[in-house]
Amino acid sequence: MDRFFGHSATTHGITVRVAVSFLPDRSRADSARWFWSYHIRIENHSDQPVQLLTRHWVITDGRGGVHQVDGEGVVGEQPVIQPGKAHDYVSGCPLTTPTGQMEGVYRMLCDDGQLISVEIPRFPLVAPAVAD
């Protein structure tokens, strides 16, 4: 699992794993647009169901510019993840620089009514070098 998902963090028994891929076919260096996709796997290793309510992303470009994104759920869903189960989704991120990073937090509701914050690990966004 760690070979595919290069970045992970565990909070309150919830493990968030991330695999990131640069998408050259969606990127245009001459237009200052670089694009990555990222695959997130959220694993519930706790003893109760959790529902992902909101997300908070901190996206930093290669010049240090920070963009924060808040929203409900992930890709239009607020999944309930049962103990021992996982939820996967894929999304994307454009930048105006060939490097950057992302990290964040999910807010989740536990079956017992407790609200928890679950860390999304920091992961780099790095476009491969292009030889002329």
Side-chain angles (χ1 to χ4, degrees), residues 10-127:
T10 301
T11 315
H12 301 290
I14 310 299
T15 299
V16 178
R17 300 182 189 277
V18 182
V20 62
S21 299
F22 177 68
L23 300 181
D25 57 320
R26 303 225 12 224
S27 300
R28 300 239 351 158
D30 59 346
S31 300
R33 179 180 167 83
W34 289 267
F35 198 90
W36 291 263
S37 71
Y38 53 89
H39 178 166
I40 303 276
R41 180 175 181 83
I42 304 165
E43 302 170 352
N44 184 354
H45 299 288
S46 76
D47 60 359
Q48 62 180 316
V50 295
Q51 182 176 19
L52 193 159
L53 299 177
T54 64
R55 68 187 183 281
H56 172 75
W57 283 107
V58 178
I59 304 165
T60 307
D61 69 24
R63 291 188 282 281
V66 176
H67 181 68
Q68 298 193 40
V69 177
D70 293 286
E72 290 188 2
V74 289
V75 293
E77 298 181 51
Q78 291 182 311
V80 174
I81 308 166
Q82 298 297 325
K85 301 294 183 183
H87 178 77
D88 288 82
Y89 74 93
V90 176
S91 192
C93 179
L95 287 181
T96 58
T97 60
T99 63
Q101 66 183 22
M102 292 178 67
E103 62 190 305
V105 174
Y106 295 125
R107 293 283 287 164
M108 295 189 176
L109 177 63
C110 297
D111 204 42
D112 65 7
Q114 180 184 8
L115 282 172
I116 60 172
S117 294
V118 173
E119 177 187 357
I120 305 167
R122 178 180 300 131
F123 57 95
L125 304 170
V126 180

